[in-house]
Amino acid sequence: MITKCERNESVEPLVPPVNFADVEDGVYRSGFPQPSNFAFLQTLHLRSIIYLCPEPYPKENLEFLEAHNIRLFQFAIAGTKELSVDVLRDIITETLKLLIDVRIHPVLIHCKQGKHRTGCVVGSLRKLQNWCLSSVLEEYKLYAGVKSRDTDLKFLETYDVSYLQQSLQTIIYQYQGYSSIKQRRLL
Amino acid sequence: MITKCERNESVEPLVPPVNFADVEDGVYRSGFPQPSNFAFLQTLHLRSIIYLCPEPYPKENLEFLEAHNIRLFQFAIAGTKELSVDVLRDIITETLKLLIDVRIHPVLIHCKQGKHRTGCVVGSLRKLQNWCLSSVLEEYKLYAGVKSRDTDLKFLETYDVSYLQQSLQTIIYQYQGYSSIKQRRLL
């Protein structure tokens, strides 16, 4: 939790949202952004936000998005422990299809705490990227900490990305960065 | 720790190094990469590795670097608790100067566990990026976990980036990514 900020005489320090992290180039994760995080979010030059809760987006956050031309995509996941595995799987798949579309990048994925819903989406992305399951689970647990849920770990273990993977392998998801220095595949 | 990997009939799953994470676009952190991580590292298309320990780099890692044209930069930090603050500060400053040079990106920073030495370098980078101190310390603690060291937290609190910040503000560290979609400043 953000409790204290250092002072800088010239520039106000930047406060990332709670549980903020880079996931991939142009893909970020976090807990719910507060107005105190808006200056930091500006530095990411976001094109989109993927919001994973059913509650309406707060007015001041909507105003921030509008002011910076950031598109909001909402996937109403009531809560990873409240939903049936079938429903959660379908929503996560729809979220993933959007998330890997580089035209919406840079994108921030967030829920409330950046632990469970966000952890399930990022974990599923890692499976799509063919990460070893134990590393997927380790990453989930890193951000969930003591709030780690067995239901989420079980979901990540059983979530089958093979259909999505096969569909995507017919399309090249390649993008370039750092002028000619960098060339990398998301999948 | 990597203990188990899922099987995929067509492609071997990728195993990231322990404590692996994206820091910034083109900047990664981790614990010591093992041969089992080499296939994963290939997907990052690294240009460089910044290695923070005094011990010689293992032969098989050197062979991997040579095979993939990855440059090794070594900064011999004996250990963050063994060094005086002055010595640590000077090495961290030299490391930062190199780290922010986008010509060496994509770059992986690693020590042994990816907790203390790597945590101090990444934390210092965050200060240079004007992150709020409490967020810098939270990020350090996320990766250090129960091994979090008060000496490192104290170092991060007192490490002064203003001189480096001023020198760098005379230079534009701007790079482009995702064709025209992305434009972002490291500093």
Side-chain angles (χ1 to χ4, degrees), chain A residues 5 14 25-26 28 132 178 184, chain B residues 5 14 25-26 28 132 178 184:
Chain A
C5 279
L14 299 168
D25 291 3
Y28 307 97
C132 162
Y178 311 147
R184 196 177 151 200
Chain B
C5 279
L14 299 168
D25 291 3
Y28 307 97
C132 163
Y178 310 147
R184 195 174 152 200

Side-chain angles (χ1 to χ4, degrees), chain B residues 116-185:
Chain B
H116 308 112
R117 288 171 267 214
T118 301
C120 285
V121 170
V122 172
S124 304
L125 173 69
R126 297 312 192 187
K127 290 194 77 169
L128 199 59
Q129 292 179 303
N130 199 31
W131 276 35
C132 163
L133 179 63
S134 61
S135 300
V136 174
L137 303 182
E138 282 306 308
E139 187 180 43
Y140 170 90
K141 287 189 271 188
L142 184 70
Y143 294 96
V146 293
K147 297 281 188 69
S148 176
R149 286 181 189 159
D150 287 346
T151 46
D152 290 351
L153 297 173
K154 187 77 190 160
F155 172 80
L156 287 172
E157 191 180 337
T158 55
Y159 180 67
D160 182 11
V161 291
S162 57
Y163 173 74
L164 199 52
Q165 226 158 16
Q166 281 160 21
S167 323
L168 293 169
Q169 273 160 5
T170 59
I171 310 168
I172 299 169
Y173 277 83
Q174 189 163 329
Y175 53 87
Q176 304 228 344
Y178 310 147
S179 309
S180 62
I181 294 173
K182 189 167 185 178
Q183 194 169 354
R184 195 174 152 200
R185 291 167 65 93

Side-chain angles (χ1 to χ4, degrees), chain A residues 59-157:
Chain A
K59 186 169 168 284
E60 50 202 340
N61 290 53
L62 285 173
E63 284 166 1
F64 171 76
L65 266 52
E66 197 176 355
H68 296 88
N69 204 20
I70 299 168
R71 214 169 144 187
L72 178 68
F73 298 93
Q74 185 168 7
F75 292 86
I77 304 178
T80 56
K81 64 179 175 185
E82 286 83 6
L83 290 177
S84 76
V85 172
D86 284 353
V87 173
L88 183 59
R89 189 192 56 216
D90 291 349
I91 301 184
I92 296 279
T93 301
E94 288 312 304
T95 311
L96 276 187
K97 282 182 189 167
L98 176 68
L99 178 59
I100 59 177
D101 184 342
V102 294
R103 292 172 300 178
I104 72 153
H105 294 189
V107 58
L108 171 69
I109 315 159
H110 79 84
C111 49
K112 278 184 189 153
Q113 301 181 80
K115 292 178 193 284
H116 308 113
R117 289 171 265 214
T118 301
C120 285
V121 170
V122 172
S124 304
L125 173 69
R126 297 312 192 188
K127 288 193 80 168
L128 198 60
Q129 293 180 301
N130 199 31
W131 276 35
C132 162
L133 178 62
S134 62
S135 300
V136 174
L137 303 182
E138 282 306 308
E139 187 180 43
Y140 169 89
K141 287 188 270 189
L142 184 69
Y143 294 99
V146 293
K147 298 280 187 69
S148 176
R149 287 182 189 159
D150 286 346
T151 46
D152 289 351
L153 297 172
K154 188 76 188 164
F155 171 81
L156 287 172
E157 190 179 337

Side-chain angles (χ1 to χ4, degrees), chain A residues 19-30 40-41 43-46 48 50 99 105-110 118 122, chain B residues 23-25 178 182 184:
Chain A
N19 242 345
F20 173 83
D22 269 48
V23 176
E24 281 291 323
D25 291 3
V27 180
Y28 307 97
R29 64 180 290 166
S30 74
F40 174 82
L41 290 185
T43 69
L44 304 178
H45 298 285
L46 295 174
S48 327
I50 295 180
L99 178 59
H105 294 189
V107 58
L108 171 69
I109 315 159
H110 79 84
T118 301
V122 172
Chain B
V23 175
E24 281 291 324
D25 291 3
Y178 310 147
K182 189 167 185 178
R184 195 174 152 200

